[in-house]
Amino acid sequence: MDHLVKEALEGEFRVNMHDADSIQRGLISYMVRVVGHDPRSAGPRQWFMALAYMVKGILSERGMGTSRAQYGQDTRRVYYLSMEFLTGRRLMKHLLDFGLETNVREALDALGQDLDELAQQEPDPALGNGGLGRLAACFLDSMATHRYPGHGYGIHYEFGMFSQTIEDGQQVEHPDNWLQGGNPWEFVRYSVSYPVRFNGRIVCFKDESGRERCEWVDTNNVNAIAYDLKVTGYDSPVISNLRLWSARASTDFDLRFFNEGNYIEAVKDKTTSETLSKVLYPMDSTVLGQELRLKQEYFFVSASLQDIIARYLRVHEDLRLLHEKIAIQLNDTHPALAVPELMRLLIDVHGLEWDEAWSVTRETFCYTNHTLLPEALETWPIGMLEHVLPRHLEIIYLINHDHLQQVRFRFPGEMEVLRKMSLVDENTQRIRMAHLAIVGSKRVNGVAALHTRLLREKVFPEFDEMYPGKFVNVTNGVTQRRWLLQCNPQLSDLITEAVGASWKSDLTALHALEPLAEDAAFRERFNAIKLANKARLADHLKEQTGYVVDPASMFDVQVKRIHEYKRQLLNLMHVIHRYTLLREGRLDDPVPRTVVIGGKAAPGYWLAKQIIRLTCDVALTINNDRAVSDRLKVVFLPNYNVSNAEITIPGANLSEQISTAGTEASGTGNMKFALNGALTIGTLDGANIEIKEEVGDDNIFIFGLTTEQVTETKRRGYNPWKVVEHDADLKRVLDMITSGFFSPQQVNRYSAIRDTLFDGGDQYMVLADFRSYIETQAKVDALYRDPDAWARKAILNVARMGLFSSDRSIQTYAKEIWGAEPMDI
Ligand code: 26W
């Protein structure tokens, strides 16, 4: 090592990434000069940092090429505004994108370090809740890979999604201090800073030219500071940027207090304004309506729009043509305040007329809806807006005034329609953010065919009628780079060997695998890879939970946020039913199963937490019952996140996608599992429907009521008691849950579950779908007994996933929504 260090520090600084020796010298040099550690005593954490800084250098160099090309070509840009980005770890992704993995691995080997161990050192940035945040990350990857001029904007949360441990069978939340050890990937841009204003009041006056102008005065200001993360694409010269805003107090000290000698009071304001980017709200699917959340939304929207306008004005003059050069995608309604904020900036700051500003605004924004659940549709109390964003409330009223005039014209005399379409909910005195986003956007999209249809027919039918062609569908997709290439290297190699490498940027190339489903040798290799991935997952489960599971058993996996509509409870009911059959010897030729359930519950969502607890209780009982031990195991996988999804998904045989029909907008886990060769058991919900259409009815297990049947059953008066009365197995399962069979220390522990199912009316039709689910699970068993038949179908699933790449989603957005072209670079 001594001579290596000497040589490295004497040699030239530039690293030749195509040469392992040069990389090795580079690493030593970064270790000394940037990390500031002696290479002779550095551990994996320090080597990770040295490597990350070295890669960051390449990111920066190449990133400049992209910027220059964008300004040079004056390309139409796409801005993706999202409160959440779940990017996953960066290191391996950048190495894969640059084609550097092999060389770097070799260089590290020579230094006595293991690349995989280093990669584990990196914290997983959990700046999102679930599907919506991960989709944003897949989209950035696809945009960079296919050379679109995409830019992400979000929040630099100091604390991301909480980390979850299980203590005493219950979820415990811990702060996610992901920046603790420093973040080598980010570029802090102290000079890129914008003031964001809150509170205050509006003064209107006539200016010299007699024009009515409004000014927002006496505001409390916070500064937004930019943190940039570089986004690479696979084998692509384009490097895009994800800009995350962090809140800084605008004045370090409030001088009034300071001068009075009250030092602590003087710093207090600083602390409160900096809470704006402190923590991600860990809820998906229910809105809390808290002022801090509203402020977070406005904070990042305002900073992003100021930045977008500044960049535009660097090369253009006329803001009336803004929409010709940019498109802004709103990821759900979380950034919907962008609509009145752009209006405010254009009118109050840049002097456009109302009509000019409105036409630019409506041509600039597009809005993606991600949920059908009524409790997840954002609304804000008028009183709160009046206090926090008085000028925006005025602008919203003005927008609504014009909007309602058009509604009256389109639906004359229809007061009910007027009431429904108003941006203001008069009953609750709240502003409807989805309405605002729809009115202020050029296009509105749903994320799967069924979801878009339900949006148009059930949620916003009047808007759809009033604006024909505004509502479009873009079915979600996932990036095959992370969700196959990176997480499943063995299967990736097998596929590349069989059909070539083009699938990495064109997933439809997987079609060529179809004939190989009939090739016994291929099936054998495919099965061996699945087994190896299951062994890796089994090791992970053992390390995380202590439970030992058998990789030869069927791995039946449901990982996603815990929510009643996703029906983890239905899964558990099948498990309990199976357990009783096993104990009574009523299953002939039982297929051994390992059921894995994982996911986080929102901290305030008590019932979801009970479902986690029940999972753990059921696991404890079943896993310790010697009578069934080798035939059934249940494991709750703690702290489900992007990193452990990368281990879990490749190890699954069966993918559980069992939401009540009409509730899951799309799902994206469903796509990741199938891409990794799991078969799906699922309802006709979200993108499951399109998956079924692609893979064929024989290659997926569909069960349960359809959306129409759910509606019809409810309309006719659904009676949970009746269902249970006619199903002895179901009755017994429920009795076991509610009589304390799994919680003898506290027999009433699960009374709330009984209550939602009966008194609560079983909103999500768990009982109604039980029988169909159980029967379908029996078909799953039957197929698993024939490994060859199972493998054929699994291979066909992989081969037919071409449609579900986020590359396809992005190409659709680019063509049909943004009007964006790939850059020529
Ligand atoms: C603040 C309250 C809140 C926060 C987040 C409400 C709703 C959300 C999101 C819309 C929830 C979400 O992540 N939705 C998921 O989006 C995925 C990507 O489109 C879909 O695949 C999932 O079906 C949908 O649940």
Side-chain angles (χ1 to χ4, degrees):
M1 182 62 103
D2 283 333
H3 77 279
L4 264 176
V5 173
K6 187 164 177 290
E7 215 181 280
L9 296 181
E10 279 167 359
E12 72 341 337
F13 198 71
R14 197 180 159 76
V15 182
N16 173 4
M17 296 305 285
H18 302 290
D19 172 41
D21 274 348
S22 171
I23 294 176
Q24 193 186 331
R25 281 193 294 274
L27 283 169
I28 293 172
S29 157
Y30 273 90
M31 179 67 82
V32 175
R33 293 169 169 144
V34 183
V35 183
H37 207 286
D38 188 334
R40 281 156 286 225
S41 62
R45 171 78 207 167
Q46 286 85 32
W47 284 112
F48 160 72
M49 290 300 252
L51 175 55
Y53 281 119
M54 189 169 93
V55 173
K56 187 189 195 182
I58 313 175
L59 291 170
S60 180
E61 273 176 49
R62 297 206 190 169
M64 289 179 186
T66 304
S67 295
R68 237 175 297 135
Q70 283 192 14
Y71 279 111
Q73 296 169 21
D74 193 21
T75 34
R76 183 171 165 81
R77 293 159 185 260
V78 175
Y79 295 104
Y80 200 82
L81 266 57
S82 177
M83 287 279 273
E84 307 188 7
F85 288 92
L86 272 175
T87 63
R89 291 179 173 138
R90 319 300 309 145
L91 178 64
M92 289 311 264
K93 153 133 185 76
H94 292 317
L95 295 182
L96 277 170
D97 285 345
F98 289 149
L100 289 176
E101 188 190 337
T102 315
N103 283 341
V104 167
R105 193 177 287 281
E106 201 181 305
L108 284 168
D109 264 354
L111 291 164
Q113 296 296 320
D114 173 43
L115 175 58
D116 300 316
E117 194 189 344
L118 258 61
Q120 299 292 315
Q121 302 299 314
E122 180 178 349
D124 182 342
L127 310 184
N129 271 285
L132 162 139
R134 181 55 229 178
L135 186 76
C138 285
F139 281 2
L140 292 182
D141 176 70
S142 288
M143 285 194 272
T145 299
H146 291 279
R147 308 187 179 198
Y148 288 103
H151 303 251
Y153 277 109
I155 297 179
H156 188 262
Y157 299 106
E158 201 175 315
F159 294 92
M161 186 66 193
F162 65 82
S163 85
Q164 177 198 55
T165 58
I166 300 298
E167 280 159 43
D168 239 349
Q170 299 178 75
Q171 166 172 300
V172 178
E173 301 97 21
H174 306 269
D176 163 53
N177 197 352
W178 71 294
L179 294 167
Q180 200 170 35
N183 179 4
W185 302 115
E186 62 196 16
F187 295 88
V188 196
R189 314 280 190 205
Y190 293 104
S191 60
V192 182
S193 163
Y194 298 94
V196 177
R197 310 203 273 169
F198 296 98
N199 313 120
R201 60 197 174 84
I202 316 304
V203 276
C204 293
F205 56 93
K206 285 222 162 51
D207 68 9
E208 318 82 70
S209 59
R211 184 169 167 262
E212 172 98 359
R213 309 279 304 239
C214 292
E215 224 177 310
W216 186 11
V217 299
D218 293 343
T219 52
N220 293 318
N221 297 6
V222 177
N223 286 335
I225 307 281
Y227 282 72
D228 287 349
L229 293 169
K230 295 289 159 199
V231 180
T232 52
Y234 184 73
D235 193 19
S236 166
V238 168
I239 305 242
S240 11
N241 197 37
L242 170 55
R243 179 159 285 181
L244 302 177
W245 299 106
S246 179
R248 290 297 140 82
S250 58
T251 42
D252 276 352
F253 295 102
D254 185 324
L255 288 177
R256 275 171 309 156
F257 289 118
F258 194 60
N259 292 339
E260 286 161 22
N262 195 341
Y263 177 79
I264 297 298
E265 272 304 310
V267 195
K268 205 179 97 195
D269 258 11
K270 176 175 163 65
T271 339
T272 27
S273 41
E274 292 181 0
T275 56
L276 275 186
S277 54
K278 191 63 74 179
V279 58
L280 165 82
Y281 275 93
M283 355 79 77
D284 66 342
S285 77
T286 25
V287 293
L288 284 181
Q290 281 175 355
E291 186 173 299
L292 181 61
R293 165 83 182 187
L294 175 70
K295 288 178 143 185
Q296 285 188 335
E297 295 187 354
Y298 178 64
F299 166 74
F300 105 96
V301 155
S302 177
S304 306
L305 286 179
Q306 292 182 65
D307 198 39
I308 290 168
I309 289 177
R311 191 178 289 126
Y312 175 84
L313 290 177
R314 242 180 267 166
V315 278
H316 303 95
E317 281 179 353
D318 191 351
L319 279 166
R320 286 170 302 187
L321 302 178
L322 180 72
H323 56 283
E324 290 183 359
K325 287 293 161 195
I326 72 166
I328 303 179
Q329 191 68 35
L330 305 175
N331 200 21
D332 215 281
T333 57
H334 316 155
L337 285 166
V339 172
E341 174 67 354
L342 183 59
M343 288 296 284
R344 184 187 73 83
L345 290 168
L346 292 178
I347 295 167
D348 295 354
V349 180
H350 295 280
L352 267 66
E353 297 293 337
W354 176 276
D355 291 344
E356 294 171 337
W358 185 235
S359 82
V360 170
T361 299
R362 296 187 84 179
E363 289 291 312
T364 298
F365 291 114
C366 300
Y367 153 56
T368 306
N369 174 289
H370 292 268
T371 181
L372 291 160
L373 300 183
E375 66 267 31
L377 293 179
E378 286 189 301
T379 60
W380 290 108
I382 288 174
M384 192 186 285
L385 280 171
E386 195 164 21
H387 171 64
V388 178
L389 299 168
R391 179 62 178 143
H392 297 78
L393 182 62
E394 276 186 4
I395 292 172
I396 291 170
Y397 281 150
L398 291 170
I399 294 172
N400 199 35
H401 175 267
D402 293 354
H403 164 61
L404 290 182
Q405 207 153 332
Q406 290 179 29
V407 174
R408 271 188 219 101
F409 183 76
R410 177 68 187 72
F411 303 99
E414 301 199 41
M415 286 312 287
E416 181 58 18
V417 172
L418 198 69
R419 200 187 52 73
K420 272 182 81 182
M421 292 183 78
S422 174
L423 306 190
V424 181
D425 182 334
E426 296 289 351
N427 292 329
T428 59
Q429 289 294 299
R430 299 170 83 98
I431 303 296
R432 297 161 164 156
M433 302 310 277
H435 288 34
L436 176 62
I438 295 170
V439 173
S441 291
K442 182 171 176 185
R443 292 275 182 280
V444 177
N445 78 286
V447 291
L450 172 70
H451 172 229
T452 303
R453 178 165 74 77
L454 294 174
L455 280 182
R456 296 179 56 184
E457 291 175 1
K458 306 272 180 249
V459 191
F460 304 115
E462 301 83 5
F463 285 94
D464 188 38
E465 226 185 288
M466 184 151 146
Y467 306 115
K470 187 178 237 190
F471 286 79
V472 296
N473 177 246
V474 185
T475 298
N476 283 166
V478 302
T479 168
Q480 65 267 36
R481 271 79 60 183
R482 185 168 295 262
W483 299 112
L484 184 52
L485 183 61
Q486 195 179 324
C487 72
N488 199 342
Q490 293 191 53
L491 183 58
S492 296
D493 287 347
L494 179 68
I495 292 172
T496 303
E497 187 190 313
V499 303
S502 63
W503 63 271
K504 296 173 189 174
S505 46
D506 171 14
L507 199 64
T508 61
L510 292 181
H511 267 304
L513 281 173
E514 281 196 23
L516 290 158
E518 293 307 319
D519 176 334
F522 187 84
R523 285 199 301 272
E524 200 174 308
R525 292 175 70 191
F526 182 89
N527 283 340
I529 291 167
K530 182 57 82 180
L531 189 63
N533 288 328
K534 289 167 76 176
R536 176 172 70 153
L537 173 54
D539 289 344
H540 180 75
L541 292 174
K542 173 156 183 247
E543 182 196 299
Q544 294 295 310
T545 68
Y547 286 129
V548 175
V549 300
D550 179 4
S553 63
M554 179 203 301
F555 279 19
D556 168 346
V557 183
Q558 184 176 25
V559 280
K560 49 181 81 245
R561 287 299 287 262
I562 311 291
H563 198 291
E564 289 160 271
Y565 86 80
K566 295 177 188 279
R567 300 199 297 192
Q568 282 91 357
L569 186 57
L570 180 59
N571 187 343
L572 285 173
M573 285 166 52
H574 162 248
V575 168
I576 295 168
H577 173 64
R578 172 176 291 260
Y579 174 57
T580 58
L581 294 187
L582 281 170
R583 289 215 314 167
E584 291 163 6
R586 278 167 53 205
L587 267 187
D588 23 83
D589 193 10
V591 173
R593 277 212 203 202
T594 299
V595 178
V596 178
I597 296 179
K600 293 174 186 175
Y605 189 173
W606 196 71
L607 207 67
K609 289 180 148 180
Q610 285 298 94
I611 292 169
I612 293 178
R613 189 170 198 188
L614 178 60
T615 309
C616 296
D617 276 342
V618 168
L620 200 63
T621 308
I622 295 183
N623 299 351
N624 290 308
D625 186 340
R626 288 170 157 259
V628 300
S629 71
D630 52 341
R631 285 160 302 161
L632 185 59
K633 282 266 161 30
V634 182
V635 183
F636 185 85
L637 167 78
N639 202 35
Y640 181 61
N641 60 12
V642 173
S643 293
N644 58 47
E646 291 170 25
I647 301 171
T648 307
I649 292 170
N653 297 115
L654 186 65
S655 157
E656 299 271 353
Q657 307 299 337
I658 60 179
S659 52
T660 315
T663 63
E664 187 72 273
S666 161
T668 43
N670 46 5
M671 303 166 187
K672 295 165 195 167
F673 278 101
L675 183 60
N676 283 275
L679 298 190
T680 303
I681 181 165
T683 46
L684 288 173
D685 198 18
N688 296 352
I689 298 175
E690 288 149 88
I691 292 177
K692 166 180 164 288
E693 281 162 9
E694 291 298 301
V695 304
D697 295 4
D698 293 344
N699 301 306
I700 188 167
F701 298 97
I702 296 294
F703 74 95
L705 299 174
T706 62
T707 305
E708 277 65 34
Q709 289 167 336
V710 168
T711 316
E712 187 51 21
T713 310
K714 286 188 175 175
R715 198 187 58 78
R716 279 205 228 117
Y718 168 57
N719 184 347
W721 301 97
K722 271 257 160 58
V723 180
V724 177
E725 196 180 296
H726 290 106
D727 193 327
D729 292 328
L730 174 57
K731 181 165 187 324
R732 191 172 42 179
V733 166
L734 291 171
D735 285 345
M736 286 170 78
I737 296 173
T738 57
S739 70
F741 184 92
F742 300 104
S743 55
Q745 326 81 315
Q746 189 187 7
V747 291
N748 280 332
R749 184 171 291 167
Y750 297 110
S751 57
I753 289 181
R754 181 193 48 220
D755 292 348
T756 55
L757 294 181
F758 293 105
D759 309 344
D762 186 19
Q763 260 203 76
Y764 297 105
M765 314 300 270
V766 176
L767 305 175
D769 275 346
F770 175 79
R771 185 46 52 188
S772 160
Y773 183 54
I774 295 300
E775 285 169 8
T776 308
Q777 286 286 13
K779 292 184 193 155
V780 173
D781 284 333
L783 184 69
Y784 199 78
R785 282 188 203 105
D786 182 349
D788 253 348
W790 184 284
R792 273 196 194 89
K793 292 183 195 291
I795 292 165
L796 287 178
N797 265 263
V798 179
R800 296 175 181 174
M801 277 303 110
L803 188 67
F804 302 102
S805 169
S806 47
D807 297 347
R808 186 267 312 145
S809 307
I810 283 302
Q811 279 150 352
T812 310
Y813 278 98
K815 218 169 144 209
E816 323 228 327
I817 296 186
W818 302 328
E821 299 283 339
M823 282 186 285
D824 151 32
I825 174 171

